[in-house]
Amino acid sequence: MAEIDWKEARRYLGLHRPGGVVDERLEEALRACGTELEAAARPRAVWRRFPLTVGEGRTVCAGMDIPSAHLARHLKDCGAVYLFAATLGAETDRLLRRAAVTDMSRAVILQACAASLLEAYCDACCDGLSREAAPEGLFLRPRFSPGYGDFPIAFQRPLLEALEAPKRIGLTATAALMLTPTKSVTAIVGLSPSPWCPPAGCAACGKADCAFRRV
């Protein structure tokens, strides 16, 4: 199972800035919450491979015709994709809800640990997909999720349905298209014959004043 990236957890808490003073009590609380979170989490993931057609500002795969210039640019030169979904499970949600009622400071730390653990788990899954694709001479693009850039959040539910995620890993979307369990991710992962890929995450975002920016 993937483990919490403590550096990332600190970043989510706003403690990543260079030269910051280490608060030993906060660090102890972070480690304790992380240990509790790792014990409660039940990470699960599902993915399926589909052929892909990329047009001018549109992407077609798994029966979805997605109007998104950002996604089309991200998947340029890809001939197939993995649809991907992962969750830390309902057990993690229950832990977060209890903490929110009893100790908000602890709840904030648990949220940061959960975000870090989910990211690490998704990375581990995609590392496995990368190894699976390597014998075909294919390389993975970074994950691109509904709601990112101009990729409409409305495609959350069709993506889940294409993966049979409700049945396979218990992951659904609310009427407002929020994932439940909440500590979950859906994404499209391109497969390209070239190892080059466009910048991901912070490098692709123009919001320079974001408190969570890495670069």
Side-chain angles (χ1 to χ4, degrees):
M1 172 179 157
E3 297 180 348
I4 292 169
D5 181 328
W6 300 107
K7 182 179 179 181
E8 283 295 281
R10 293 186 197 97
R11 186 176 70 86
Y12 289 125
L13 287 169
L15 304 176
H16 65 295
R17 293 172 179 80
V21 177
V22 176
D23 186 319
E24 292 185 2
R25 287 181 299 176
L26 183 55
E27 183 69 21
E28 183 179 339
L30 175 64
R31 295 285 177 162
C33 287
T35 299
E36 185 177 7
L37 186 281
E38 287 180 335
R42 300 291 183 271
R44 285 164 286 180
V46 61
W47 52 82
R48 281 183 174 172
R49 183 167 165 174
F50 294 91
L52 171 74
T53 301
V54 178
E56 187 64 35
R58 308 192 75 85
T59 300
V60 179
C61 64
M64 298 182 290
D65 185 350
I66 306 169
S68 168
H70 293 163
L71 181 62
R73 184 168 62 246
H74 184 77
L75 297 176
K76 186 175 183 286
D77 300 326
C78 293
V81 293
Y82 285 111
L83 298 191
F84 175 85
T87 180
L88 294 185
E91 300 85 354
T92 295
D93 271 18
R94 285 194 286 269
L95 176 63
L96 295 172
R97 284 196 298 268
R98 287 196 303 269
V101 171
T102 60
D103 187 339
M104 186 52 68
S105 296
R106 181 167 159 272
V108 170
I109 297 173
L110 283 168
Q111 287 280 355
C113 290
S116 174
L117 181 60
L118 179 59
E119 188 72 12
Y121 179 63
C122 289
D123 287 347
C125 290
C126 287
D127 285 346
L129 293 178
S130 183
R131 291 191 294 272
E132 182 179 291
E136 301 176 65
L138 296 174
F139 302 86
L140 263 63
R141 295 279 171 91
R143 297 183 297 275
F144 204 104
S145 297
Y148 185 74
D150 63 352
F151 185 178
I153 193 71
F155 284 91
Q156 195 84 276
R157 189 168 284 119
L159 198 157
L160 291 170
E161 291 171 355
L163 288 170
E164 298 183 313
K167 179 176 70 175
R168 298 176 71 184
I169 61 172
L171 179 57
T172 61
T174 68
L177 300 175
M178 301 298 291
L179 293 174
T180 180
T182 58
K183 289 305 175 187
S184 304
V185 166
T186 61
I188 292 180
V189 183
L191 282 161
S192 168
S194 168
W196 180 88
C197 64
C202 295
C205 179
K207 189 170 175 54
D209 61 346
C210 176
F212 300 102
R213 191 173 181 85
R214 298 183 192 178
V215 293

